[in-house]
Amino acid sequence: MFKTIANAFRDKEIRKRIFLTLLMLAIFRLGAYIPIPGLDIAAINGENGLDSGSFFGIIAAINGTFGSQGSIFSLGIMPFINSFIIMQLVTIIIPKLERMSKDGEEGRKKITQITRYVAIGLGVIQAFGFVMSWGENFTGLFGTGVANIWLSRIMTVIILTAGSTFVMWLGERITEYGIGNGTSLIIFIGILSGIGSSIISAIQTMSQQSGTELMGNIWWFIGFIIFVILLFLFIVYVDMAERRIPVRYAKQVKGNKMYGGQTSNIPMKVNASGVMPIIFASSFLMFPQMIASFWPESDFYIWYSKWLGVGSWVYIVVISLLILFFSYFYAQIQFNPIEVSKNIQQYGGFIPGIRPGKPTSEYLAKINNRITLFGAIFLAIIALIPSILVAIMPQELGLTNAFSATGLLIVVSVALETNKQMESQIMMKTYKGFLK
């Protein structure tokens, strides 16, 4: 990776793209420190602050705890991510959108535009949820009084939605003019900043302690760092693991030339769906809690937080089943064994020991189901790690609040993907120079 970065900086155009990407990410980070006018940050971090197990706590963790800082970028890129997920689902269900997705570049542009509009709508809903979750601690720009408070809330919803829309625009500019996927890089920076802030806060907490309590927390802190490093290595190992299905092509004589006779393979990644099943499952579970949080004293909100909140045994069972379901659902979207089998047969290929046609598609489907099951178990373990840490680690260190194994999975995936994109751009430059 370091060699790739060094080679990238040697090329003027790639170096320009890297600096542009860093500039956009710096603007994004700057927005994290611009507070919403009239918001008492100390109050919202108190008794009525964002719970790390709530829907808004998850948003804050992915965005780098911007929600708890009360910044104009509190929503971050989450509305766009949720909109993207919704559009992927409805594109399969609605035939008109499915035809549009297959209508080349023009169709994709239309779907992207619809995704933006849906993201703005979701931003308004989530912004309203944020404002209502702050409760009476929020006074706003226009002071006290029922009318003034509601006017302040509406203004804050507009500010938060505009901030989220601007972050979405930044992500698109990074994708178009920078290096890597802009949305992924914004999440990447947010997660890293959240983990960094958590570690600094833990060190500050330990600096104020002494005696047995200090030594105990130091050992917990060292164990936490070692655990994160081992988890990081495990995620990299699984993320890069793949099953390669060998494919041989028969020799064909056309005219005076002979074609085929080569051996290739079909790479099937163990974790091909990435972090999407976890995001699907978490959003599915947390969305009712987000709606119910508008009425925090209602019986439904109290019941849902108790039984389906992060850490409960019901939550563990339900989210594991949902991750398993969405893993298979996403696998069916990404990999079509019938289509792959037809393409292999069309070009005169075959899998050794498997007859072409239906037996090949059945064999590929069986292999895909087995790999998906292992990937789903891996994702379920990753999703449940924070709940386990909350149960065993001392809460005064605050490491469990910002740590997210899901976030670490996103960080690894984004880092590997960005590295691959830089390598491909360097390769293209090398070929261009060779042709000249």
Side-chain angles (χ1 to χ4, degrees):
M1 179 178 286
F2 295 108
K3 184 179 180 181
T4 303
I5 295 173
N7 292 333
F9 271 96
R10 292 192 183 101
D11 185 271
K12 182 179 179 181
E13 185 176 342
I14 298 177
R15 185 169 63 246
K16 183 179 177 181
R17 283 176 169 270
I18 292 174
F19 284 136
L20 182 63
T21 301
L22 294 175
L23 176 62
M24 295 290 185
L25 293 176
I27 294 172
F28 170 66
R29 285 297 301 153
L30 181 63
Y33 298 98
I34 301 177
I36 298 170
L39 184 64
D40 187 350
I41 299 175
I44 68 168
N45 285 329
E47 184 179 351
N48 295 323
L50 299 181
D51 181 11
S52 61
S54 67
F55 181 85
F56 308 106
I58 292 175
I59 293 178
I62 292 180
N63 291 332
T65 66
F66 299 167
S68 60
Q69 294 171 0
S71 73
I72 60 173
F73 286 171
S74 290
L75 293 182
I77 200 71
M78 281 301 294
F80 180 75
I81 294 173
N82 293 332
S83 174
F84 180 77
I85 293 171
I86 291 171
M87 288 302 297
Q88 277 196 318
L89 294 175
V90 298
T91 299
I92 302 170
I93 299 170
I94 302 176
K96 185 177 180 180
L97 290 176
E98 187 177 4
R99 290 193 300 268
M100 194 182 295
S101 66
K102 297 178 180 178
D103 195 21
E105 187 65 27
E106 194 64 30
R108 285 192 291 271
K109 285 182 179 179
K110 291 179 181 179
I111 289 181
T112 301
Q113 191 65 21
I114 296 173
T115 305
R116 292 175 186 146
Y117 292 142
V118 174
I120 293 173
L122 290 175
V124 172
I125 296 173
Q126 292 180 6
F128 186 73
F130 256 110
V131 172
M132 295 304 294
S133 70
W134 289 330
E136 298 178 355
N137 296 326
F138 175 71
T139 54
L141 288 169
F142 302 101
T144 57
V146 177
N148 290 335
I149 288 177
W150 275 103
L151 187 61
S152 299
R153 286 173 175 171
I154 293 171
M155 181 62 67
T156 303
V157 167
I158 293 173
I159 292 172
L160 288 172
T161 306
S164 176
T165 306
F166 181 71
V167 172
M168 178 176 65
W169 180 85
L170 283 178
E172 291 180 350
R173 298 289 76 75
I174 292 173
T175 303
E176 187 175 358
Y177 301 110
I179 296 288
N181 183 283
T183 302
S184 300
L185 285 173
I186 285 175
I187 298 173
F188 177 87
I189 292 298
I191 293 170
L192 287 184
S193 65
I195 294 175
S197 301
S198 178
I199 291 175
I200 293 173
S201 176
I203 293 174
Q204 290 175 345
T205 300
M206 288 188 295
S207 66
Q208 299 173 359
Q209 297 174 343
S210 61
T212 307
E213 183 182 19
L214 174 60
M215 289 304 299
N217 285 334
I218 288 176
W219 283 113
W220 274 113
F221 181 80
I222 295 173
F224 175 80
I225 298 298
I226 294 173
F227 174 78
V228 169
I229 293 173
L230 293 176
L231 182 61
F232 178 84
L233 295 175
F234 176 60
I235 291 174
V236 172
Y237 176 76
V238 175
D239 194 74
M240 299 183 70
E242 62 183 20
R243 170 77 181 271
R244 297 181 180 180
I245 309 297
V247 178
R248 293 179 183 174
Y249 292 91
K251 294 181 180 180
Q252 298 178 3
V253 179
K254 294 182 180 179
N256 296 326
K257 294 184 178 181
M258 182 178 291
Y259 298 91
Q262 298 177 348
T263 301
S264 181
N265 62 73
I266 304 172
M268 300 176 68
K269 296 195 67 172
V270 173
N271 187 31
S273 55
V275 76
M276 295 305 294
I278 297 180
I279 295 177
F280 276 37
S282 300
S283 300
F284 188 84
L285 268 183
M286 294 301 173
F287 188 77
Q289 188 176 7
M290 181 192 76
I291 301 299
S293 67
F294 298 162
W295 302 275
E297 297 180 358
S298 64
D299 293 336
F300 176 76
Y301 179 77
I302 295 172
W303 176 86
Y304 200 92
S305 300
K306 178 181 178 181
W307 293 105
L308 287 172
V310 176
S312 68
W313 68 269
V314 179
Y315 170 85
I316 292 173
V317 173
V318 173
I319 199 168
S320 298
L321 294 175
L322 285 174
I323 289 172
L324 183 65
F325 169 77
F326 283 118
S327 294
Y328 276 98
F329 175 81
Y330 208 75
Q332 297 303 317
I333 297 174
Q334 286 189 313
F335 185 78
N336 187 341
I338 298 176
E339 192 69 27
V340 174
S341 175
K342 287 181 179 179
N343 291 335
I344 293 173
Q345 189 174 11
Q346 181 181 354
Y347 290 99
F350 64 94
I351 298 174
I354 307 296
R355 295 180 61 185
K358 187 177 179 180
T360 298
S361 63
E362 290 176 350
Y363 175 77
L364 291 174
K366 182 176 70 173
I367 297 297
N368 187 47
N369 289 336
R370 289 178 179 176
I371 292 176
T372 302
L373 177 61
F374 182 83
I377 294 173
F378 163 73
L379 291 176
I381 293 172
I382 291 296
L384 296 177
I385 283 176
S387 300
I388 298 172
L389 290 179
V390 168
I392 64 175
M393 285 193 66
Q395 297 301 305
E396 64 268 15
L397 288 178
L399 291 171
T400 56
N401 293 330
F403 173 76
S404 168
T406 305
L408 197 58
L409 177 60
I410 295 173
V411 167
V412 172
S413 301
V414 173
L416 292 175
E417 184 61 32
T418 305
N419 183 63
K420 288 178 183 177
Q421 290 201 21
M422 281 198 294
E423 286 179 346
S424 64
Q425 292 202 19
I426 293 169
M427 188 79 68
M428 288 174 60
K429 292 292 180 181
T430 304
Y431 283 140
K432 287 181 180 178
F434 176 75
L435 292 172
K436 289 181 180 178

